[in-house]
Amino acid sequence: MIVSLSRSTRAPIHLWCRRKINLNRVPLVSLRCISSVDRASNKLEDSTSSIGRISALRLTRCVSSSNSLEDTNSDDSVGEENPSSPSRIVHVAGIGSNGGHVTLNYGPDDCFQSTYHASWLWSNDPKKVMLPSGQRTCTPGQWSSVYGRPKIKHAEIIYCIVGRGTKVALDAEPKDSLGSSIVSDAPKVNVPGPTPKDCCHALSVYGTYPSWLSVSSPYNNTGDANLRPYLQIHWSTPHNHDMLDPESFYDIEWLERFRYDENAIANRRKKTEVKPIHAIRRSGPPLCYSLKTDPAHKSGRYHKQPWENISSKHAKDGLVHVNYHSLIDVDDQILENGLFNLMDAIFSDGAAIVSGTPQPKTLESDDENVFPVAKIAKAMSGGSLSHGQLYGNIFHVRDGERNSNNVAYTSVPLCPHQDLAYYESPPGIQLLHCVAMGNGVLGGESTLIDAMAAAYRLRELRPESFECLVRCPATFVKQRGDTCMTYRTPHILLAEDGYSTSGSKSVLDREIVAVYWSPPFEGPVLLPPCDVDRYYEAYADFERMIDNSLSTNSADSDDLSLHAHDFTWERRLAPGEVLIFNNRRMLHGRRGFSVQKDVNHDESQRHLVGCYTNIDDTLSRYRVLLRNTHSTHILNACNRSNIIP
């Protein structure tokens, strides 16, 4: 039957097609072909002798011209559709005025629509990706003053049959049910191969697929279920323009992965934003592991549930515990399954514990490789420790260490904080190995609270205070005889752009991408006089949310203090345990401690051995391990950036 592709176009485009694609039936052949495709494909094939080839079939084509669409947008949501399905129904709704963009309709009933600008497509042209490095070789600065920015002349969808990971010789042509060849003598055209699910490049530069596939144009279809759609762009810029080839091909799955329309941005945020349901709690694991993740009560408290009803992989203290020997074997080799379980817990919940960690052979060595905590850290980061300039790559947290040149090297309480907030890029992961916790030590419990979840809740409870902490920069300081470090940044950082999950475009409703909080290392704020008092009021509001020591009786606390009461994790570490947490997301602290009288030396010791890893190296290691799983979506790592794809 004939169906209209878009009600919003001036001249509706019609296409012979079926409303759905299933495993046994494919769309009928399209209305027309453009001869320039063949000429361009010959040129490309001649210039890519090293291209990996898979025989594929061009089956269906939907064509549009550059005068067929005004600016259009759809408010339909993506919902739960599977963006990776190779048999997605998609067609060109039309091209904007002057060829400035192309709009695609997705789904059997045009359930949502997305627009791609010509400048964006040109900048991400797969042919301009250098192999094998993946570096992009085209930039907008290369646009000629004569030709200007690229313009789209035609756009069409072609469907190809792609054998997953199987190389097929070009002469192995498919046959119909009678055994006759169905492939014409038409020349081949090269299209990008499928990209890995976390790949930002429009061309596969890693993974199991070839970077390019060789595509034939048959006169009829094969009924093969492995249909994969591609967008073919015909540029209107003269073909002799050095920086622009006449045609470009884009994998639809890759285009959909990087949609930048309002719905796509909001849906991506839903999958990555850290909320209170993702936070570890005083009474157990994060509520996101429960099927019942109801929002907060009017009292300001999220539902309490016993840990047994939420997650079987968490221990009773609410954290995932991983045994050291499931990470590092007796020959100090890394065991990737155990490493992934650990890193997955850290990047999901913010923290985890490694148990059964051996004691270092010596505690006074300058060799970092002597310490098991360094072996864990290097396994997580890909081989290196970080941020060792001030305290060493390996540091010791014990009373009197380094002449107590840090409050951590005393026995006084430590309020919730991040380490090294005065760095432009603070440590990503912190590891603390408990090597001694004597029975004569009274107190000294470790604490954690999720700063990202607290900031999210502050926006709900005190939007004026949230706005102030987003707008007013704090001053973070580390100064001593041999050190002078200062860094100014707001306590709460938001994404540079984007939409809320409800569609709001308010600046304050953008995704929270970082929190900076370290009261012991803050200096004078430099603010306009009108903001000073409001800043300290907002500071006090957030501090009550993250420091439960400021309120001793939860029954009499306000809604801010209740958050600190419900979401502060607290436990005394035992020898052999390594507490590992995301220093960007989690605030850690310590209860003050004292030592009983008349106890021997060993029973009087509270000694943690620590180190850091860089957030970028560690996140990269985790995301590479994540490729072997079913999903690449992770919560925001609090590194001042949205997580993509």
Side-chain angles (χ1 to χ4, degrees), residues 360 362-365 367-375 394 396 609:
T362 175
L363 291 172
E364 307 305 327
S365 175
D367 181 5
E368 62 191 37
N369 296 313
V370 169
F371 297 92
V373 68
K375 296 177 182 179
I394 296 292
H396 298 265
V609 178

Side-chain angles (χ1 to χ4, degrees), residues 255-320:
L255 285 176
E256 188 174 356
R257 191 186 308 152
F258 289 97
R259 288 170 49 212
Y260 52 92
D261 56 86
E262 179 176 337
N263 290 324
I265 293 173
N267 285 332
R268 188 177 295 120
R269 176 177 173 179
K270 286 180 182 179
K271 299 174 182 178
T272 63
E273 188 162 30
V274 178
K275 303 176 182 179
I277 61 170
H278 301 117
I280 58 175
R281 302 172 298 140
R282 180 179 65 88
S283 58
L287 286 168
C288 62
Y289 294 99
S290 170
L291 295 177
K292 299 179 180 180
T293 54
D294 297 332
H297 287 300
K298 292 181 180 179
S299 64
R301 306 185 78 170
Y302 280 70
H303 284 293
K304 290 184 177 181
Q305 295 189 33
W307 69 272
E308 294 92 341
N309 296 336
I310 294 182
S311 172
S312 60
K313 70 178 184 178
H314 292 76
K316 289 188 176 182
D317 62 6
L319 297 185
V320 171

